[in-house]
Amino acid sequence: MIRKKSYGHPFDTEAVVGSYTPLDGPLPFLTEEGGGRFSCPLDEDAVVYGLGENVRGINKRGWIYESVCSDDPNHREDTRSLYGAHNFLVVDGARRFGVFVDYPGKVTFDVGYTDGSVLTIQTEEPDLALYLIDGDSPEDIVRQFRTLVGRSYIPPKWAFGYGQSRWSYMNADEVREVAARYREAGIPLDAIYLDIDYMEGYKDFTVNRNAFPDLSGLAAELKEQGIRLVPIIDAGVKIEPGYPVYEEGVRQGCFCKDEDGSDFVAAVWPGRVHFPDVLNEEARRWFGGYYKVLLEQGIEGFWNDMNEPAIFYSEQGLENAFSQIDAYRTENLDIHTYGALQGLVAGLKNSPEDYRSFYHRHKDGLVRHDRVHNLYGYNMTRAAGEAMEALEPEKRILLFSRSSYIGMHRYGGIWTGDNLSWWSHILLNLQMMPSLNMCGFLYTGADLGGFGGDTTEDLLLRWMALGIFTPLMRNHSATGTRRQELYRFPHVVAFRQIVSLRYVLLPYLYSEYMKAALGNGMYFRPLAFAYPEDAFARRVEDQLMVGESVMIAPVYQQHARGRYVYLPERMKLVRFGGSHQAGQNVLETVQEELLEPGHHYIDVALDEVVFFLRPGHLVPVSQGGGCVADVDFTHLKLLGYPEDGCSYELYDDDGFRRDYDTPAHITRIYVDSSGVIHTEGTGGKDVQWL
Ligand code: GLC
C-alpha cells in the first residue's frame, strides 16, 4: 500500500507517474518532527536498503548520505554525495516500509550515523511530498515503488554488448585502430565511445572536422563491423558568436538566468558556457531537438555528462577570487592566509553560492537553481529521451547520463561516474547495483577497469568478470592514465574468453533485464531478497543475485586466488574460462560442480569466471559472437538441473523496436521429469542441453 503526504508547497518533480491524493492523518512508521525532519528508530537487526548511487554497502546503515548531485571524482568511504539523488530507501526491521522523499533540493539521510539506532531524514526546506509504502517484503515494497515511478528505460539490444571508451580517442584513425585491434584480438565489441575531443572546441552538436572529417562515413563503416559510435554531450553550451546553438539559445531565451534576467555564465570544458534551462518545457524541446544533428550522421547512442551541472567557475566567482588573490599579493602568507589562498581557487568549482545564483523558468514560476538542483541531469536526459521518442518513434536509442534523480530512469540509464582503478571500487560497483535497481535505474554500470588512476591487468580481469553481468558494460578511463583497451595486455585470450562469455550469457541477461524492466522488478538483487528467511543472507555484502537463476560472487581483492562464498541453498557452481587454446569457444570450457548450502572457499583463477545456479532454475545461453548482431538467439543451449523439472520464461525481441509488450516475445521453456526440454511460444526457439 502506498500513502502520500504533502508538506508546504512541494515542487512538482514529475518523478511519480499518476496522481495520488495526499493523506491527512498522521504518518505511519515515521515520526514527523516538523521543518522537513522525520525520524524512526532502527532496531538492532534492521537493514536499510536503497539510496541508489552512493558509497558504502548494500546495507546503508552507519553513514550519513546527502542528496546533492555532485561532480565529485572522489568516491571515498566518507563521501556523502555522488552524481545522483535517489531519495528512496527501505527499512527492513521490526518496522518494514519504504519511503520516497520527493524533494528536488538537498536531503540528508542520517542512517544511524549520529545515533546508531535512529534514522533521520531532513530536507533543506519543508516543502515536499513523502510516499510511504508498506508491503510483505522489501522486494514487494520495491515493486510497488517502481510502479509508482514508472517503467525503466530500455536500451537497444546492441547496448548490452561490450563498449570501449577513453577520454579521448582523438581522431577517426584512432577509433578505427581500436576497432581493428579488438577484431584482430577476437574480443567482441559493440560500441566505441567518443569523449569530448570529437567536438570542435567542446561545442555540443559539433564535430571537429579535422579529426573526424566524415563522421557519418565512419559511423557507417564501423556499423558494418557491428560497432556503434557513442558520442558524449555536455550540459554547458559554449558562448561563442556564430555558434548556432549558442545564438539560437540566447535568441529564444532557452538558457538559465541570472537574478537580473541575463543569461547565467558559468565555465566548463570550453570555458564560458550557458546552461540550457531544461526545467522549462520549451527549452527542453529546443535542446533535445539538437540530438538530431548527430542522429542524422548515423549515431544511435549518447552519454550525457557534466549535468549536475558541473561548474568549474562562474563569472562572478572568478571575479571575486581574482580580486581577493590580488589582495594577498603583498602579504606574508602564513598557514591561515596560505590556506585561504588555496581555498579561493579550490572553492571556485561547484560552489554552492553559484548554484544559488541562477534561475529556471519552470511552468510554476521562476525557481532558484539550488532549490531544484537535483533535477538538472534528469531533465537534460529527459530532453534527449523525449526528442528520441519524437525523432525515432520506432527505434530504441542508447542514452545514459551521469547525473540523475528518480524519474530520469524512464528516459535513460546512468553510469556511476569517475571511479578509480582501485580494488575497493570493484566491490563498490557491485554494492551500488541493487541499490540503483531499487530506484529504477536498471541500465547501469561502472567504468570497468577504473576511470582515474592506472589500471593493472589483474584488476581489469577481475573487474571484467563482474562487468559481464552489468547491463552497461563499458571500459572507460581518464586522460593521462594508463591505456586500458583489453588487447594491450599480455593475457588477451583471458580477456577474449571473459568478454565472449558475456555474449554467451546474453539470452539470459537480456531476458532478465527485459522482465525486470517490464515488470518493475530488479535485475540485481541482494541475496536477502531471494532468501528472505535466511538470516545469514541479510549479512552478505559481496554477492548478488542476477535475475532469477544466477548468483554471482566476484573476486575483488588483489592476489586472491579465490574467495569465500555463501550458498543459501544447494547450488551448481558453473566455471568458464581458464583455457589458453586460442581458438576455443568459451562455452567448451564449462565445468560444473554441485555444492551443498553453507560456506565454501572457491578457487577462481584470474582467467576464469564463476557463478552459481539455483536449483529448479535455468539459464539459456548462446554460442556467443563478435557483436550482439552475431549472436544467435534462436538456437539456444540450456544450463541447469536436468533432473529437476523446472521452467524458465524467456523474453526476446528484435532489440530495436519499442514493441516490448507483444506476447510473442515470450517463450516458455520447461524440462519434464525425464529431463526432456519443451518450449511453448511463437518465437521459434530451439533449446538443447549444453
Ligand atoms: C567527466 C566524465 C568522464 C569523461 C570526462 C571528459 O569526468 O565523468 O567520464 O571522460 O568528463 O569528458
Side-chain angles (χ1 to χ4, degrees), residues 71 83 165-168 195-196 232 234 269 303 305-306 402 415 417-418 447 451 474 476-479:
D71 161 33
Y83 313 87
S165 186
R166 173 80 182 174
W167 175 11
S168 300
D195 208 324
I196 47 176
I232 197 168
D234 285 299
W269 308 117
W303 47 312
D305 192 23
M306 304 300 269
R402 192 169 73 175
W415 91 101
D418 300 348
D447 285 351
F451 174 75
R474 182 181 78 144
H476 180 48
S477 56
T479 179

Side-chain angles (χ1 to χ4, degrees), residues 484-502:
Q484 58 191 44
E485 294 81 14
L486 303 180
Y487 51 75
R488 294 182 188 272
F489 295 90
H491 294 95
V492 172
V493 177
F495 283 116
R496 179 190 308 148
Q497 294 205 333
I498 293 175
V499 181
S500 297
L501 183 57
R502 160 70 160 217

Side-chain angles (χ1 to χ4, degrees), residues 62-83:
W63 189 240
I64 181 165
Y65 307 87
E66 291 169 354
S67 285
V68 193
C69 295
S70 304
D71 161 33
D72 184 353
N74 299 307
H75 306 181
R76 305 180 345 174
E77 269 182 44
D78 62 353
T79 299
R80 293 184 178 190
S81 320
L82 291 171
Y83 313 87

